[in-house]
Amino acid sequence: AKGTQSSNDYIHSEDLPLEMMHFFQQQMWKSFIAKNKFLYKEKKGRIIFDSRQETGKGEWTNARAIADMVREQLDPAFFVVDVVDDVGALTIEEQAALFQSASIMVAPFGGSIANIIFMRPNAIVFEVSCGESSWVRDWATDLRIRHSVIRADGPPCKFEGHRTYFVQPSTLVELILDICWKGLKKKPP
């Protein structure tokens, strides 16, 4: 009975038990590996920004500018920086491949961030949010994905038919670069 289980047994009361989520994740990996389909083949770290610019809701107004700042600071021999404007326009296999390939995913709170189920353990997800609490943290913890909330700021973070996000670039760029340089074990000159 549900009332006899610990609170850690479920991600949400509406969701599958954690064991089922892990089973689903493992079966997906087996399927993708067996088909050798849509797997990211480069041996580079991949940083993906989900701007949601083409979705018509929840756009992150300066995602592309922040991605450009990160790209300028990183050696392309070690890192790839991409921006995706509408994850929902991709097929489920393409969404799975996109999130599987991410070493770091930076995305606004919204439906597309549920694709963290496809991410590899120890990957990092930065959730851009206006500060509301989120189920994403619980999923990330259960899936062994590192999670941090990046608080959007300024007047654009408000609801006017849909939410828009603006993030102070310096904070996010510095966080991402620190993670990347730690992965290389040295900071470039």
Side-chain angles (χ1 to χ4, degrees), residues 19-20 28 47 56 85 90 92 101-102 106-107 114 126 135 139 153 158 164 170 188:
E19 294 81 23
M20 287 295 290
M28 278 185 318
I47 303 161
D85 292 326
L90 304 174
I92 189 66
S101 71
V106 191
F126 287 110
W135 50 265
W139 274 32
D153 42 31
K158 60 185 172 189
T164 58
S170 59

Side-chain angles (χ1 to χ4, degrees), residues 9 29 47 49 52 76 109 124 135 140-141 151 162 182:
D9 289 342
W29 284 116
I47 303 161
F49 291 81
R52 299 183 65 176
F109 175 78
I124 299 166
W135 50 265
T141 299
R151 185 164 170 79
H162 69 275
K182 284 178 186 171

